Amino acid sequence: DAGVIQSPRHEVTEMGQEVTLRCKPISGHNSLFWYRQTMMRGLELLIYFNNNVPIDDSGMPEDRFSAKMPNASFSTLKIQPSEPRDSAVYFCASSFGRSEQFFGPGTRLTVL
Amino acid sequence: KNQVEQSPQSLIILEGKNCTLQCNYTVSPFSNLRWYKQDTGRGPVSLTIMTFSENTKSNGRYTATLDADTKQSSLHITASQLSDSASYICVVSGETGANNLFFGTGTRLTVIP
């Protein structure tokens, strides 16, 4: 298995633009997590899906952030409009139930 | 308040030396505690997982300990190698829900030759 796949690996955009991050979880996993990591705050859970259904989005910072999981093999995290304070590394992770989470390589987002 | 605190924030050691990283938590109820290793530019990778009844668990040169009474865990690295340079993150899982995870901010370890 190729592991969790994320794209793009790097994204540089200007303030106000829409950003879409993509994730393909490990086949067979039924839970998917989006995280944000910054130097100041470390890893923060943004949203968690189970069987493609959003279970807890209390970590989503504000309405500018949205996430979807249209099927078991694909999820997106969208920021619209983006702001410089959104600059961070965004990780997607997947697991089977409460077992170990496997993280993707992350997307480094820079908003100018 | 559920919190996970790690110390030190950063650490530099000579290759071949041992070191110990600390994790203190206030998460309750408690389900398990994981140590992750995160190489620069990559996602975290699980090293060990410990449940309430486990005191020690080893994974090669990595040995994790857990004292559930004092809510403390440590990660001991023996005979460090240059490849051990990474951030080590302590993650505590509460008892309710797969998403009930509390993350430490990590210890940045640098092993120098």
Side-chain angles (χ1 to χ4, degrees):
Chain A
D1 197 316
V4 176
I5 299 173
Q6 290 187 247
S7 65
R9 291 296 311 277
H10 302 274
E11 176 81 32
V12 180
T13 190
E14 293 186 341
M15 183 174 62
Q17 295 298 306
E18 177 180 296
V19 175
T20 299
L21 311 181
R22 297 173 176 79
C23 175
K24 176 179 170 56
I26 293 174
S27 177
H29 283 184
N30 62 351
S31 296
L32 184 140
F33 307 80
W34 281 102
Y35 293 91
R36 178 172 66 179
Q37 186 177 43
T38 61
M39 288 291 291
M40 290 296 295
R41 301 171 69 95
L43 270 169
E44 301 173 283
L45 178 65
L46 300 177
I47 187 170
Y48 151 59
F49 292 86
N50 185 251
N51 293 322
N52 311 339
V53 176
I55 302 300
D56 185 354
D57 65 354
S58 59
M60 297 286 262
E62 47 197 273
D63 292 344
R64 296 184 298 106
F65 286 68
S66 62
K68 294 181 180 180
M69 192 165 185
N71 57 62
S73 59
F74 184 66
S75 177
T76 60
L77 177 67
K78 185 176 294 186
I79 308 172
Q80 166 64 19
S82 57
E83 296 182 2
R85 60 193 170 115
D86 301 331
S87 297
V89 181
Y90 292 81
F91 288 102
C92 175
S94 71
S95 70
F96 182 75
R98 297 194 64 185
S99 65
E100 176 186 350
Q101 292 184 25
F102 290 83
F103 286 77
T107 294
R108 181 173 293 279
L109 174 64
T110 302
V111 183
L112 304 175
Chain B
K1 183 180 178 182
N2 292 312
Q3 286 185 313
V4 177
E5 294 187 354
Q6 293 187 243
S7 63
Q9 192 171 20
S10 62
L11 182 62
I12 301 174
I13 62 172
L14 289 173
E15 185 179 11
K17 297 296 186 182
N18 304 335
C19 67
T20 300
L21 314 180
Q22 299 290 344
C23 174
N24 297 338
Y25 61 93
T26 59
V27 177
S28 181
F30 170 87
S31 177
N32 60 64
L33 183 149
R34 284 186 189 273
W35 282 95
Y36 282 88
K37 178 186 179 188
Q38 185 176 17
D39 292 315
T40 301
R42 312 191 79 149
V45 175
S46 179
L47 290 174
T48 66
I49 177 172
M50 303 188 73
T51 58
F52 186 88
S53 58
E54 296 176 302
N55 300 118
T56 303
K57 184 170 282 189
S58 293
N59 178 1
R61 295 179 296 101
Y62 301 101
T63 299
T65 65
L66 175 65
D67 186 332
D69 292 329
T70 62
K71 298 186 177 181
Q72 296 180 326
S73 177
S74 66
L75 181 68
H76 186 75
I77 304 174
T78 304
S80 61
Q81 300 177 358
L82 298 179
S83 59
D84 293 331
S85 295
S87 289
Y88 292 84
I89 303 171
C90 175
V91 183
V92 180
S93 177
E95 201 167 338
T96 54
N99 59 324
N100 199 2
L101 298 176
F102 301 91
F103 291 81
T105 53
T107 293
R108 176 71 203 176
L109 174 66
T110 303
V111 181
I112 58 176

